[in-house]
Amino acid sequence: MLAGKHILLIIGGGIAAFKSLDLIRRLRERGAVVTPVLTRAGEEFVTPLSVSALAGRKVHRDLFDLDDEAEMGHIQLSRVADLVVVAPATADLMAKMAGGLANDLASTLLLATDTPVMIVPAMNVRMWEHAATQRNLETLRGDGIAIVGPNKGDMACGEHGPGRMSEPMEIVEAVEAALSDGPLKGRRILVTSGPTHEPIDPVRYIANRSSGAQGTALARALTALGAHVVFVTGPADVAPPEGVEVVAVQTAQQMQEAVAAALPVDAAVFAAAVADWRVTSASDRKLKKTKDGLPALEFAENPDILHGVSHLKENRPPLVVGFAAETNDVIENATAKRLRKGCDWIVANDVSPATGIMGGSENAVTLISDAGAEEWPRMGKDAVAQKLAARIADAIS
Ligand code: C5P
C-alpha cells in the first residue's frame, strides 16, 4: 500500500508514455498522491488534460510558468514528494540527468531534488544498447538512482529486444519496495536463486532442475518488507522481481564470486540449486560424434558456497539460511546437512516426484534451526516466501 505517499511522476516523450496514464491510476488506487510533470516531448504522446484528469491534480509543464512559480517554485516542487519516478525515461532524459543538465522543468527538478529518484527507461533497442546510453546508465546507477527495467520484447518501432518500458504493475511493485517502511528497511540481504549451468562445450551444459520460483518469491517478499536484496541468480525460468539488485551468473564459480562481492550483508539465503560438479575438460568447440567412441568428460567439484559463507571468519552474515531439497528421510538428512554446512537454518523440502513440488507452484517445507524441526503446512511458494521473510525479519531486526 502507498497510503500517504507522494510521488512526483515525470513523464518523458516516448510512445510508452501511454502506460504512464495507467501507472497514475494504479498508484492512486493504492493511496498515493501523484503530482505529474510532463515534458514538451511527453505532450506529443499524452495530453496534459488526460494526465491531470487521471492524477486529479494540476500537471506541471513549464520551468518559466509565472503562475506555477508564484504558487510553488520549481525547487519546492522537486522536494514535495517521497519519491521521484521518471516514466518513461527516454535516452535524452537519461543523458541530461547523467550530465547534470537543467534546461527544462523535468531536468531542473531532477537536478534540484533531494528525494530518491527511480527511472523507468523506454526506448528503441539500438538506442538502449548504444555505448552512450549504457555509459549514462552506469553513471546514474553510481549516483544512486534506482532503475526499473527495461523489458525485452517487441517494440512499437517494429524491432525486438530490450527497451520496452516495464508494465505499470511492475513499476508499482518497485515503488512499493522503495517506499516500504517494513521491518527490514535499511537491511541488506543476499539471496541466491536458480540453477547454475556448467558448460561441457559452447552448446551443452550440466545443471540441476530449478525454476528459480522459490528464490524469486523470497527475494520479492524480503523486498516488500523493506530489505535491499542482492539477488544472485543463475539462468532461471522466472524473471527476477522488480526492486532488487540483480547479479546474473551462469556457473557456480561465478556465483561464488558474486556472493563474495555482495558481502557484508545482514542475512544470506542460499536458495540456488548449484551444480555439484563442473567439467574441467570443457571444450571451446562443439564436441562432435566420432568413430573413436564417446567423449570422456572429466569433472571437478564446485565450491560449496553455503559452506564457505557459513565458515567465514570475517563478514559472516549474522543469519545464514540454506535450502535442502531431499527425496527421502527429509528431516533427518536436512538436520545433518545444517550441521555439515554450518548454517543457522535449513529450509528442507521433499522434492520426490510424487509431491509435484519441483517446478510447481506449491511447497511443503520444514524449517530446521537449533530449536529443532518445525513443519509448515503445504502452501503456495509465495506464502512460504512471506512466512520465511517474516521469520528472517524477526531474527535480525
Ligand atoms: O549440498 P546440497 O546441494 O544439498 O545443499 C543445498 C544447499 O547448499 C542450498 O542452500 C544450496 O544453495 C547450497 N549450495 C551452495 N553451493 C553448492 C551446493 C549447494 O551454496 N556448491
Side-chain angles (χ1 to χ4, degrees), residues 207-247:
N208 290 336
R209 282 187 208 283
S210 166
S211 62
Q214 188 62 80
T216 301
L218 183 64
R220 181 177 286 120
L222 291 164
T223 305
L225 294 185
H228 174 92
V229 173
V230 184
F231 187 63
V232 178
T233 176
D237 296 343
V238 295
E242 289 298 344
V244 303
E245 181 184 332
V246 179
V247 186

Short mmCIF file of all heavy atoms in Angstrom, two decimals, residues 207-247:
data_model
loop_
_atom_site.label_atom_id
_atom_site.label_comp_id
_atom_site.label_asym_id
_atom_site.label_seq_id
_atom_site.Cartn_x
_atom_site.Cartn_y
_atom_site.Cartn_z
N ALA A 207 23.36 -29.21 -15.38
CA ALA A 207 22.64 -28.33 -14.45
C ALA A 207 21.70 -29.14 -13.59
O ALA A 207 21.47 -30.32 -13.86
CB ALA A 207 21.83 -27.31 -15.24
N ASN A 208 21.19 -28.52 -12.56
CA ASN A 208 20.10 -29.11 -11.77
C ASN A 208 18.78 -28.58 -12.30
O ASN A 208 18.75 -27.48 -12.86
CB ASN A 208 20.21 -28.70 -10.31
CG ASN A 208 21.40 -29.33 -9.62
OD1 ASN A 208 21.89 -30.38 -10.05
ND2 ASN A 208 21.86 -28.71 -8.58
N ARG A 209 17.71 -29.31 -12.07
CA ARG A 209 16.39 -28.76 -12.39
C ARG A 209 16.04 -27.74 -11.34
O ARG A 209 16.00 -28.05 -10.15
CB ARG A 209 15.33 -29.86 -12.32
CG ARG A 209 15.30 -30.77 -13.48
CD ARG A 209 14.09 -31.69 -13.33
NE ARG A 209 14.36 -32.95 -13.99
CZ ARG A 209 14.30 -33.12 -15.30
NH1 ARG A 209 13.98 -32.13 -16.09
NH2 ARG A 209 14.57 -34.30 -15.82
N SER A 210 15.82 -26.50 -11.75
CA SER A 210 15.40 -25.47 -10.80
C SER A 210 14.78 -24.33 -11.60
O SER A 210 15.40 -23.80 -12.53
CB SER A 210 16.60 -24.95 -10.02
OG SER A 210 16.26 -23.76 -9.35
N SER A 211 13.55 -23.97 -11.25
CA SER A 211 12.88 -22.89 -11.97
C SER A 211 13.30 -21.53 -11.42
O SER A 211 13.13 -20.50 -12.06
CB SER A 211 11.37 -23.03 -11.85
OG SER A 211 11.00 -22.91 -10.47
N GLY A 212 13.80 -21.52 -10.19
CA GLY A 212 14.12 -20.24 -9.53
C GLY A 212 12.89 -19.62 -8.87
O GLY A 212 12.97 -18.52 -8.32
N ALA A 213 11.75 -20.34 -8.89
CA ALA A 213 10.49 -19.74 -8.39
C ALA A 213 10.56 -19.43 -6.89
O ALA A 213 10.15 -18.35 -6.46
CB ALA A 213 9.31 -20.69 -8.68
N GLN A 214 11.11 -20.37 -6.09
CA GLN A 214 11.11 -20.14 -4.64
C GLN A 214 12.07 -19.01 -4.25
O GLN A 214 11.73 -18.15 -3.43
CB GLN A 214 11.44 -21.44 -3.89
CG GLN A 214 11.27 -21.32 -2.39
CD GLN A 214 9.82 -21.03 -1.97
OE1 GLN A 214 8.99 -21.91 -1.91
NE2 GLN A 214 9.52 -19.76 -1.68
N GLY A 215 13.25 -18.99 -4.87
CA GLY A 215 14.22 -17.92 -4.57
C GLY A 215 13.68 -16.56 -4.99
O GLY A 215 13.85 -15.56 -4.27
N THR A 216 13.01 -16.53 -6.14
CA THR A 216 12.45 -15.27 -6.64
C THR A 216 11.34 -14.78 -5.71
O THR A 216 11.28 -13.60 -5.36
CB THR A 216 11.89 -15.48 -8.07
OG1 THR A 216 12.98 -15.91 -8.88
CG2 THR A 216 11.30 -14.22 -8.65
N ALA A 217 10.47 -15.71 -5.29
CA ALA A 217 9.38 -15.32 -4.38
C ALA A 217 9.95 -14.81 -3.07
O ALA A 217 9.44 -13.84 -2.49
CB ALA A 217 8.47 -16.53 -4.13
N LEU A 218 11.03 -15.41 -2.62
CA LEU A 218 11.63 -14.98 -1.35
C LEU A 218 12.24 -13.58 -1.49
O LEU A 218 12.07 -12.72 -0.62
CB LEU A 218 12.69 -15.99 -0.93
CG LEU A 218 13.32 -15.66 0.41
CD1 LEU A 218 12.28 -15.73 1.51
CD2 LEU A 218 14.46 -16.60 0.71
N ALA A 219 12.93 -13.35 -2.61
CA ALA A 219 13.52 -12.02 -2.84
C ALA A 219 12.42 -10.96 -2.87
O ALA A 219 12.57 -9.87 -2.32
CB ALA A 219 14.30 -12.02 -4.15
N ARG A 220 11.30 -11.31 -3.51
CA ARG A 220 10.18 -10.36 -3.59
C ARG A 220 9.63 -10.08 -2.18
O ARG A 220 9.37 -8.93 -1.82
CB ARG A 220 9.09 -10.94 -4.50
CG ARG A 220 7.89 -10.03 -4.67
CD ARG A 220 6.87 -10.61 -5.64
NE ARG A 220 7.31 -10.51 -7.01
CZ ARG A 220 7.50 -11.53 -7.83
NH1 ARG A 220 7.26 -12.76 -7.42
NH2 ARG A 220 7.92 -11.34 -9.06
N ALA A 221 9.46 -11.14 -1.39
CA ALA A 221 8.88 -10.97 -0.05
C ALA A 221 9.80 -10.17 0.86
O ALA A 221 9.34 -9.33 1.64
CB ALA A 221 8.60 -12.35 0.56
N LEU A 222 11.11 -10.39 0.74
CA LEU A 222 12.07 -9.63 1.56
C LEU A 222 12.06 -8.16 1.14
O LEU A 222 12.13 -7.25 1.98
CB LEU A 222 13.48 -10.22 1.41
CG LEU A 222 13.68 -11.61 2.03
CD1 LEU A 222 14.96 -12.26 1.50
CD2 LEU A 222 13.72 -11.53 3.55
N THR A 223 11.97 -7.93 -0.16
CA THR A 223 11.93 -6.56 -0.68
C THR A 223 10.68 -5.85 -0.17
O THR A 223 10.73 -4.69 0.23
CB THR A 223 11.93 -6.59 -2.22
OG1 THR A 223 13.06 -7.34 -2.65
CG2 THR A 223 12.03 -5.20 -2.81
N ALA A 224 9.56 -6.58 -0.16
CA ALA A 224 8.30 -5.98 0.31
C ALA A 224 8.38 -5.58 1.78
O ALA A 224 7.67 -4.69 2.22
CB ALA A 224 7.14 -6.94 0.08
N LEU A 225 9.26 -6.24 2.54
CA LEU A 225 9.43 -5.87 3.95
C LEU A 225 10.48 -4.77 4.10
O LEU A 225 10.88 -4.43 5.21
CB LEU A 225 9.83 -7.08 4.79
CG LEU A 225 8.78 -8.19 4.91
CD1 LEU A 225 9.25 -9.29 5.86
CD2 LEU A 225 7.45 -7.63 5.40
N GLY A 226 10.97 -4.26 2.98
CA GLY A 226 11.85 -3.10 3.03
C GLY A 226 13.33 -3.40 2.86
O GLY A 226 14.15 -2.48 2.88
N ALA A 227 13.70 -4.69 2.67
CA ALA A 227 15.13 -5.03 2.56
C ALA A 227 15.69 -4.59 1.21
O ALA A 227 14.97 -4.54 0.21
CB ALA A 227 15.31 -6.53 2.71
N HIS A 228 16.98 -4.30 1.20
CA HIS A 228 17.70 -4.17 -0.07
C HIS A 228 18.22 -5.57 -0.39
O HIS A 228 19.07 -6.10 0.32
CB HIS A 228 18.85 -3.17 0.05
CG HIS A 228 19.68 -3.12 -1.20
ND1 HIS A 228 19.43 -2.22 -2.20
CD2 HIS A 228 20.70 -3.89 -1.64
CE1 HIS A 228 20.28 -2.44 -3.20
NE2 HIS A 228 21.06 -3.45 -2.88
N VAL A 229 17.69 -6.18 -1.44
CA VAL A 229 18.06 -7.56 -1.75
C VAL A 229 19.08 -7.60 -2.88
O VAL A 229 18.85 -7.02 -3.95
CB VAL A 229 16.81 -8.39 -2.13
CG1 VAL A 229 17.21 -9.79 -2.61
CG2 VAL A 229 15.86 -8.50 -0.94
N VAL A 230 20.21 -8.27 -2.63
CA VAL A 230 21.16 -8.56 -3.71
C VAL A 230 20.79 -9.96 -4.18
O VAL A 230 20.89 -10.93 -3.43
CB VAL A 230 22.62 -8.52 -3.22
CG1 VAL A 230 23.56 -8.74 -4.39
CG2 VAL A 230 22.92 -7.20 -2.52
N PHE A 231 20.33 -10.05 -5.42
CA PHE A 231 19.74 -11.29 -5.94
C PHE A 231 20.73 -11.90 -6.94
O PHE A 231 20.82 -11.45 -8.08
CB PHE A 231 18.41 -10.93 -6.61
CG PHE A 231 17.58 -12.11 -7.05
CD1 PHE A 231 17.09 -13.02 -6.13
CD2 PHE A 231 17.27 -12.29 -8.39
CE1 PHE A 231 16.31 -14.09 -6.53
CE2 PHE A 231 16.48 -13.35 -8.80
CZ PHE A 231 16.01 -14.26 -7.87
N VAL A 232 21.47 -12.91 -6.49
CA VAL A 232 22.46 -13.55 -7.35
C VAL A 232 21.78 -14.75 -7.99
O VAL A 232 21.45 -15.72 -7.30
CB VAL A 232 23.69 -13.98 -6.54
CG1 VAL A 232 24.69 -14.69 -7.44
CG2 VAL A 232 24.33 -12.77 -5.86
N THR A 233 21.53 -14.67 -9.28
CA THR A 233 20.70 -15.71 -9.91
C THR A 233 21.39 -16.36 -11.09
O THR A 233 21.99 -15.69 -11.93
CB THR A 233 19.34 -15.13 -10.34
OG1 THR A 233 18.60 -16.16 -11.03
CG2 THR A 233 19.47 -13.93 -11.25
N GLY A 234 21.27 -17.69 -11.14
CA GLY A 234 21.68 -18.44 -12.32
C GLY A 234 20.57 -18.31 -13.36
O GLY A 234 19.60 -17.59 -13.15
N PRO A 235 20.72 -19.00 -14.49
CA PRO A 235 19.72 -18.88 -15.56
C PRO A 235 18.38 -19.53 -15.17
O PRO A 235 18.18 -20.72 -15.38
CB PRO A 235 20.36 -19.60 -16.75
CG PRO A 235 21.65 -20.15 -16.27
CD PRO A 235 21.85 -19.88 -14.84
N ALA A 236 17.48 -18.76 -14.60
CA ALA A 236 16.21 -19.29 -14.08
C ALA A 236 15.11 -19.15 -15.13
O ALA A 236 15.25 -18.42 -16.11
CB ALA A 236 15.83 -18.54 -12.81
N ASP A 237 14.00 -19.86 -14.89
CA ASP A 237 12.84 -19.78 -15.81
C ASP A 237 12.03 -18.51 -15.56
O ASP A 237 11.38 -18.01 -16.45
CB ASP A 237 11.89 -20.97 -15.60
CG ASP A 237 12.56 -22.28 -15.94
OD1 ASP A 237 13.58 -22.24 -16.64
OD2 ASP A 237 12.06 -23.33 -15.49
N VAL A 238 12.01 -18.06 -14.30
CA VAL A 238 11.15 -16.91 -13.98
C VAL A 238 12.01 -15.65 -13.90
O VAL A 238 13.19 -15.70 -13.57
CB VAL A 238 10.40 -17.11 -12.64
CG1 VAL A 238 9.42 -18.26 -12.74
CG2 VAL A 238 11.38 -17.39 -11.51
N ALA A 239 11.39 -14.51 -14.24
CA ALA A 239 12.13 -13.24 -14.25
C ALA A 239 12.38 -12.78 -12.82
O ALA A 239 11.57 -13.04 -11.94
CB ALA A 239 11.31 -12.20 -14.99
N PRO A 240 13.49 -12.10 -12.57
CA PRO A 240 13.73 -11.59 -11.21
C PRO A 240 12.69 -10.55 -10.83
O PRO A 240 12.13 -9.90 -11.72
CB PRO A 240 15.12 -10.95 -11.30
CG PRO A 240 15.53 -10.98 -12.70
CD PRO A 240 14.55 -11.76 -13.51
N PRO A 241 12.42 -10.41 -9.53
CA PRO A 241 11.42 -9.39 -9.14
C PRO A 241 11.96 -7.98 -9.35
O PRO A 241 13.17 -7.79 -9.45
CB PRO A 241 11.21 -9.67 -7.65
CG PRO A 241 12.41 -10.41 -7.20
CD PRO A 241 13.00 -11.11 -8.38
N GLU A 242 11.05 -7.02 -9.41
CA GLU A 242 11.47 -5.62 -9.50
C GLU A 242 12.01 -5.17 -8.15
O GLU A 242 11.65 -5.71 -7.11
CB GLU A 242 10.28 -4.73 -9.89
CG GLU A 242 9.83 -4.90 -11.32
CD GLU A 242 10.89 -4.53 -12.35
OE1 GLU A 242 11.88 -3.86 -12.00
OE2 GLU A 242 10.74 -4.94 -13.51
N GLY A 243 12.85 -4.18 -8.19
CA GLY A 243 13.27 -3.55 -6.94
C GLY A 243 14.43 -4.25 -6.25
O GLY A 243 14.81 -3.86 -5.16
N VAL A 244 14.99 -5.30 -6.88
CA VAL A 244 16.15 -5.96 -6.27
C VAL A 244 17.39 -5.63 -7.11
O VAL A 244 17.28 -5.22 -8.27
CB VAL A 244 15.99 -7.50 -6.19
CG1 VAL A 244 14.74 -7.87 -5.42
CG2 VAL A 244 15.98 -8.14 -7.57
N GLU A 245 18.56 -5.83 -6.51
CA GLU A 245 19.81 -5.65 -7.26
C GLU A 245 20.16 -7.00 -7.87
O GLU A 245 20.50 -7.93 -7.15
CB GLU A 245 20.90 -5.18 -6.26
CG GLU A 245 22.24 -4.92 -6.90
CD GLU A 245 23.29 -4.55 -5.83
OE1 GLU A 245 22.94 -3.98 -4.76
OE2 GLU A 245 24.47 -4.85 -6.07
N VAL A 246 20.02 -7.11 -9.18
CA VAL A 246 20.20 -8.42 -9.83
C VAL A 246 21.66 -8.61 -10.23
O VAL A 246 22.25 -7.73 -10.86
CB VAL A 246 19.32 -8.53 -11.10
CG1 VAL A 246 19.52 -9.88 -11.77
CG2 VAL A 246 17.86 -8.32 -10.77
N VAL A 247 22.24 -9.75 -9.86
CA VAL A 247 23.56 -10.12 -10.37
C VAL A 247 23.37 -11.46 -11.09
O VAL A 247 23.12 -12.48 -10.45
CB VAL A 247 24.60 -10.26 -9.23
CG1 VAL A 247 25.98 -10.49 -9.82
CG2 VAL A 247 24.59 -9.05 -8.32
#
